[in-house]
Amino acid sequence: MTTVSLKIESGATQLTLPEGFRSWLAFWEAQRGKRATQCEAFGCDREVTEAGRVIKVGKVDGVYILPLCDRCSSLANTRIFKAWDKDLVMLTQEPEAAT
Ligand SMILES: [Zn+2]
């Protein structure tokens, strides 16, 4: 398993919740097949409060959803953090990065 360096996606991209889901956390849970109860930032075990929109540092290939706690999501605005690659759920693909 590998970890990736991430930061919060700060763009103002308007994303429409896929049909059939009532929240981005529910969407993430459906994609990953597990409950989003614990912050997915590496080394953190606080309670999830929101679905963070993150991008990979150094290799921006799209926007991903990652469940985060309130502390990580606010810290991550200015800091790079790590998470398991497998826990990222792809949200949008950057058209220019598509191969
Ligand atoms: Zn956290």
Side-chain angles (χ1 to χ4, degrees):
M1 293 197 292
T2 52
T3 59
V4 287
S5 295
L6 302 166
K7 57 185 179 182
I8 294 287
E9 196 264 326
S10 53
T13 320
Q14 283 303 308
L15 296 165
T16 309
L17 195 60
E19 208 169 324
F21 297 99
R22 55 186 170 74
S23 71
W24 284 112
L25 283 177
F27 177 73
W28 185 91
E29 288 179 338
Q31 301 297 310
R32 285 288 295 119
K34 68 174 187 179
R35 298 268 296 154
T37 52
Q38 191 173 323
C39 179
E40 298 290 346
F42 191 69
C44 181
D45 58 3
R46 284 163 57 89
E47 191 185 337
V48 166
T49 58
E50 59 199 274
R53 274 162 50 183
V54 301
I55 54 175
K56 292 181 182 175
V57 175
K59 179 178 174 286
V60 181
D61 54 1
V63 179
Y64 298 85
I65 288 285
L66 189 69
L68 294 174
C69 67
D70 53 353
R71 192 163 66 188
C72 285
S73 68
S74 63
L75 279 178
N77 282 318
T78 51
R79 259 191 9 193
I80 290 168
F81 64 101
K82 284 183 182 291
W84 295 113
D85 198 18
K86 65 175 174 58
D87 284 331
L88 298 172
V89 169
M90 171 72 81
L91 193 54
T92 61
Q93 202 146 15
E94 297 290 322
E96 62 266 35
T99 51

